[in-house]
């Protein structure tokens, strides 16, 4: 049982040092024994499926990561929080079915991909800067029963959105797809 892992910021090959900036696709997929990952600040990209099905993963520092491949954290059912401080686009299915996820910080996000937070039943808080967000793709927040009230009140502050394909989620319709713009911008025809 490993539990916690720490990745180095560089590796030495033939007396030369190389910075590690990427975690490849499927690098830790199905590693059910990992509970915590310490990433160096040099990691800027996490590939698709990189941590998919890491069912014991509770904590990973993502503050410096700029881009993620699809399904990178799908089914990480123990993950509680995600701080994506350097991420402008939340990729499709990034946190799909992360049922313990409660808080996400994405301060500079401009697009949230399809099913990015689908089935994150315990997601209660998403923090971001409203003027950056322009697109929320289909099913991004599908089946997020604890989020929908705050989402309508906080996410769309100073925004106008036209939403299509609403899915009934309790008393408030769940968002399927939205195109958002600042209140002073003209609505699309």
């Amino acid at each position: 049982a490993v539990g916690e892992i720490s990745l180095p910021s560089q590796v030495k090959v033939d007396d030369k040092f190389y910075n590690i900036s990427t975690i490849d696709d499927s690098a830790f997929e199905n590693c059910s024994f990992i509970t915590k990952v310490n990433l160096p600040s040099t990691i800027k990209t996490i590939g698709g499926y990189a941590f998919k099905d890491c069912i014991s993963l509770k904590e990973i520092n993502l503050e410096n990561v700029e881009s993620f491949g699809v399904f990178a954290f799908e089914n990480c059912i123990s993950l509680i929080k995600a701080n994506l401080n350097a991420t402008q686009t939340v990729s499709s299915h990034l946190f799909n079915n992360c049922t313990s996820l409660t808080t996400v910080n994405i301060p500079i996000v401009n697009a949230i991909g399809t099913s990015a937070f689908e089935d994150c039943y315990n997601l209660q808080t998403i923090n971001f800067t409203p003027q950056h967000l322009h697109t929320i793709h289909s099913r991004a927040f599908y089946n997020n029963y604890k989020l929908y009230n705050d989402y309508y009140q906080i996410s769309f502050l100073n925004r106008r959105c036209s939403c299509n394909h609403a899915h009934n989620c309790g008393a408030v319709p769940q968002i399927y797809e939205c195109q958002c713009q600042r209140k002073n911008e003209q609505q699309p025809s």
Side-chain angles (χ1 to χ4, degrees), residues 13-77:
V13 178
D14 296 328
D15 293 325
K16 283 184 148 181
F17 285 95
Y18 298 92
N19 284 338
I20 298 175
S21 62
T22 301
I23 296 175
D24 283 341
D25 294 348
S26 302
F28 296 96
E29 186 175 0
N30 292 313
C31 290
S32 60
F33 56 85
I34 298 173
T35 58
K36 182 178 180 180
V37 177
N38 299 306
L39 297 178
S41 61
T42 57
I43 298 290
K44 302 300 180 195
T45 303
I46 293 180
Y49 303 88
F51 292 94
K52 184 181 185 297
D53 296 321
C54 290
I55 59 172
S56 300
L57 181 62
K58 291 181 181 181
E59 186 178 344
I60 183 169
N61 58 313
L62 302 170
E63 290 84 1
N64 296 302
V65 179
E66 296 171 359
S67 66
F68 296 88
V70 296
F71 298 97
F73 293 95
E74 184 181 52
N75 298 324
C76 290
I77 59 173

Side-chain angles (χ1 to χ4, degrees), residues 67-130:
S67 66
F68 296 88
V70 296
F71 298 97
F73 293 95
E74 184 181 52
N75 298 324
C76 290
I77 59 173
S78 300
L79 190 63
I80 297 168
K81 180 173 67 170
N83 292 315
L84 310 178
N85 297 343
T87 305
Q88 292 185 343
T89 300
V90 175
S91 62
S92 295
H93 303 275
L94 183 61
F95 294 104
N96 188 17
N97 201 42
C98 290
T99 55
S100 296
L101 191 64
T102 60
T103 304
V104 175
N105 296 307
I106 42 177
I108 63 169
V109 70
N110 58 38
I112 298 175
T114 301
S115 300
F117 299 101
E118 182 172 346
D119 294 329
C120 293
Y121 302 121
N122 288 299
L123 186 58
Q124 297 175 28
T125 305
I126 294 185
N127 298 310
F128 62 90
T129 308

Side-chain angles (χ1 to χ4, degrees), residues 124-178:
Q124 297 175 28
T125 305
I126 294 185
N127 298 310
F128 62 90
T129 308
Q131 59 266 29
H132 291 291
L133 183 62
H134 294 285
T135 305
I136 301 171
H137 289 281
S138 63
R139 300 176 68 101
F141 298 101
Y142 187 76
N143 285 337
N144 284 277
Y145 301 103
K146 293 184 178 183
L147 178 65
Y148 65 82
N149 283 334
D150 289 338
Y151 183 74
Y152 279 95
Q153 293 168 8
I154 297 169
S155 304
F156 295 142
L157 183 65
N158 297 321
R159 309 294 272 171
R160 288 190 303 204
C161 295
S162 58
C163 298
N164 301 315
H165 314 294
H167 173 73
N168 192 3
C169 174
V172 177
Q174 190 70 330
I175 292 173
Y176 257 53
E177 185 162 359
C178 293

